[in-house]
């Protein structure tokens, strides 16, 4: 320490807690689908983008985790017309920068807006359309290898004749420009998009292929400047998949999880383990973890333990309660533990994010069916080892003590 005292550096175990504390509302009345992302420059902080049930205006709010307590700042409106939010992404290369994707009811054109976080305050630029057609399912991900660059994937046109399309966006301050719009599939329902953090400018889009019995499908996308190129398509075991969600492994380059509902088979919950190498995808077999009525499935890697992950989902076979399963993986095969209810209310529109400064913490947002659809968050804690090692106790004996004759 600074006073010369030697401090023992050690580790302590943190136990599993599902949940770690009581739920907290960020809005006390009906809300639409909310999206949540951690602030990469302040990993005890996160942003939630959502709509109000009363007027469908678009809002964002900053949340903070202190210990096991979640608190929220004052929400800030970014759209004062009826809005449907589809995605939220924070830039790991530009402090405070984030983008929300959405459309408004006046024309349903594809729209995005850039924002900035300062402390717990939010400011927004001017919303901009990236096309002039009816656009839905606008999923968004920031390229972690290029500051200010993001890719959106979405469906253009009516369901019966829609195209799956992707576009590149560039943020400068709170202004957005677009380039490289390109179609990747006809008649598509876009579900998710995620960048591989270990492979420059490469992401995966997950979608339902309407032209082939809504089979769940993956495609790899490579960005080069303002151009996008697409791989072959890879089926999720030819299953009618919905609520498809992706997550890349923080320990193993290229490995990722897919979670989905098999809507053609009693809404069973499934997961698959895949690998991305260049623009090639390999997939293990699909594995069922819930035998009926699983929705809003989110695979989440354990950032403190290799080969470990959880599946967060809404269990319609148990009153829609929020449920989690601890899992392990070997190569492309998963093993499942026992499911645990983490909140005994109907949990619509589940989303989650890691809170990174304390290992094993995950914040989940949902629409609380027992409280008029209120926008709600809850903290989960996975088992973890924490250390008290810091920059100030790394050496153990301060310079002041050493100058007074102390020795290591």
């Amino acid at each position: 320490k600074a006073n010369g005292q030697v401090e023992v550096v050690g580790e302590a175990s943190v136990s599993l807690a599902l949940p770690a504390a009581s739920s907290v509302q960020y809005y006390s009345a009906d809300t639409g689908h909310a999206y949540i992302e951690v602030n990469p420059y302040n990993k005890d902080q996160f942003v939630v983008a959502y709509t109000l049930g009363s007027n469908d205006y678009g809002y964002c709010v900053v949340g903070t985790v202190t210990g096991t307590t979640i608190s929220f700042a004052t929400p800030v409106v970014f759209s004062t017309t009826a809005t449907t939010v589809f995605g939220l992404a924070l830039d790991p290369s530009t402090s405070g920068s984030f983008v929300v994707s959405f459309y408004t009811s006046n024309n349903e054109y594809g729209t995005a807006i850039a924002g900035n976080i300062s402390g717990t305050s939010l400011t927004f630029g001017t919303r901009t359309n990236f096309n002039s057609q009816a656009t839905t399912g606008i999923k968004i991900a920031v390229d972690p290898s290029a500051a200010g660059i993001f890719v959106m994937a979405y469906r253009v046109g009516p369901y019966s004749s829609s195209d799956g399309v992707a576009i590149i966006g560039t943020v400068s301050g709170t202004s957005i420009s677009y380039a490289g719009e390109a179609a990747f599939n006809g008649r598509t329902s876009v579900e998710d998009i995620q960048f591989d953090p270990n492979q420059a400018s490469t992401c995966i889009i997950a979608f339902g292929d309407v032209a082939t019995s809504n089979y769940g499908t993956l495609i790899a996308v490579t960005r080069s400047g303002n151009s996008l190129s697409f791989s072959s398509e890879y089926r999720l075991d030819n299953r009618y998949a919905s609520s498809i969600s992706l997550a890349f492994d923080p320990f193993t380059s290229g490995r990722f999880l897919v979670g989905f509902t098999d809507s053609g088979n009693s809404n069973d919950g499934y997961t698959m383990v895949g690998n991305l190498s260049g623009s090639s995808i390999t997939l293990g077999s699909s594995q069922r973890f819930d035998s009926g009525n699983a929705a809003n499935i989110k695979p989440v890697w354990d950032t403190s333990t290799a080969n470990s992950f959880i599946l967060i989902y809404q269990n319609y076979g148990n009153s829609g309660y929020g449920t989690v399963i601890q899992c392990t993986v070997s190569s492309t095969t998963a093993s499942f533990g026992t499911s645990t209810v983490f909140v005994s209310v109907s949990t619509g529109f589940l989303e989650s994010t890691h809170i990174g400064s304390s290992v094993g913490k995950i914040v989940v947002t949902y629409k609380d069916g027992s409280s008029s659809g209120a926008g709600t968050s809850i903290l989960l804690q996975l088992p973890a080892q924490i250390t008290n090692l810091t920059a100030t106790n790394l050496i153990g004996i301060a310079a002041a003590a050493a100058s007074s004759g102390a020795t290591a």
Side-chain angles (χ1 to χ4, degrees), residues 108-123:
E108 296 188 355
Y109 293 171
T111 308
I113 192 168
N116 188 73
I117 310 165
S118 178
T120 58
S121 299
L122 300 173
T123 55

Side-chain angles (χ1 to χ4, degrees), residues 338-393:
T338 303
S339 62
T340 301
V341 172
F342 64 85
V343 61
S344 297
V345 300
S346 179
T347 51
F349 303 140
L350 283 169
E351 298 288 344
S352 64
T353 191
H354 278 285
I355 296 298
S357 67
S358 297
V359 292
K361 288 184 178 178
I362 298 165
V363 176
V364 180
T365 57
Y366 58 93
K367 180 184 172 89
D368 188 343
S370 71
S371 186
S372 303
T376 307
S377 66
I378 198 166
L379 184 67
L380 310 183
Q381 175 68 63
L382 301 183
Q385 293 292 119
I386 59 173
T387 178
N388 66 347
L389 181 64
T390 68
T392 58
N393 67 19

Side-chain angles (χ1 to χ4, degrees), residues 57-400:
Y57 287 3
Y59 279 81
C60 285
V61 66
V62 174
T64 304
V65 175
T66 305
T68 58
T69 301
I70 299 174
S71 59
F72 289 99
T74 302
V76 180
V77 66
F78 64 84
S79 175
T80 54
T81 53
T83 297
T84 301
V85 176
F86 293 110
L88 167 70
L90 277 71
D91 188 347
S93 303
T94 307
S95 179
S97 179
F98 66 95
V99 181
V100 182
S101 60
F102 61 100
Y103 74 54
T104 58
S105 61
N106 55 352
N107 53 29
E108 296 188 355
Y109 293 171
T111 308
I113 192 168
N116 188 73
I117 310 165
S118 178
T120 58
S121 299
L122 300 173
T123 55
F124 292 94
T126 302
R127 71 188 195 191
T128 55
N129 296 333
F130 55 84
N131 64 19
S132 55
Q133 302 177 73
T135 303
T136 190
I138 311 163
K139 303 305 179 183
I140 182 171
V142 171
D143 186 342
S145 64
I149 304 295
F150 63 93
V151 174
M152 292 184 290
Y154 46 91
R155 189 181 87 205
V156 172
Y159 182 78
S160 61
S161 60
S162 58
D163 287 330
V165 181
I167 196 169
I168 300 166
T170 302
V171 177
S172 177
T174 54
S175 298
I176 303 175
S177 58
Y178 304 103
E181 187 176 45
F184 60 85
N185 181 277
R187 299 185 64 193
T188 294
S189 175
V190 177
E191 299 278 352
D192 199 7
I193 179 172
Q194 295 290 332
F195 271 93
D196 182 351
N198 297 303
Q199 186 169 316
S201 300
T202 303
C203 62
I204 294 177
I205 297 172
F207 61 96
D209 190 340
V210 180
T212 56
S213 304
N214 289 287
Y215 287 164
T217 307
L218 306 182
I219 193 168
V221 185
T222 302
R223 184 191 64 83
S224 178
N226 285 330
S227 298
L228 297 172
S229 57
F230 304 99
S231 72
S232 301
E233 296 179 353
Y234 299 85
R235 304 291 188 210
L236 300 179
D237 267 2
N238 291 339
R239 295 186 182 276
Y240 178 0
S242 60
S243 297
I244 309 170
S245 188
L246 304 167
F248 275 95
D249 188 343
F251 293 98
T252 304
S253 179
R255 188 163 68 169
F256 62 91
L257 295 169
V258 188
F260 63 92
T261 300
D262 187 347
S263 298
N265 186 25
S266 303
N267 294 318
D268 288 354
Y270 278 85
T271 190
M272 298 177 76
V273 184
N275 187 73
L276 175 65
S277 179
S279 59
S280 296
I281 295 173
T282 55
L283 291 166
S285 298
S286 59
Q287 295 179 260
R288 186 174 62 186
F289 65 87
D290 184 277
S291 59
N293 299 302
N296 298 310
I297 300 163
K298 305 299 173 188
V300 182
W301 289 99
D302 185 342
T303 57
S304 63
T305 305
N307 300 314
S308 179
F309 68 97
I310 62 172
L311 293 164
I312 301 169
Y313 66 103
Q314 183 179 13
N315 187 354
Y316 277 112
N318 186 25
S319 304
Y321 289 174
T323 306
V324 62
I325 296 180
Q326 289 184 276
C327 315
T328 58
V329 61
S330 176
S331 184
T332 57
T333 301
S335 300
F336 307 112
T338 303
S339 62
T340 301
V341 172
F342 64 85
V343 61
S344 297
V345 300
S346 179
T347 51
F349 303 140
L350 283 169
E351 298 288 344
S352 64
T353 191
H354 278 285
I355 296 298
S357 67
S358 297
V359 292
K361 288 184 178 178
I362 298 165
V363 176
V364 180
T365 57
Y366 58 93
K367 180 184 172 89
D368 188 343
S370 71
S371 186
S372 303
T376 307
S377 66
I378 198 166
L379 184 67
L380 310 183
Q381 175 68 63
L382 301 183
Q385 293 292 119
I386 59 173
T387 178
N388 66 347
L389 181 64
T390 68
T392 58
N393 67 19
L394 175 62
I395 295 174
I397 298 180

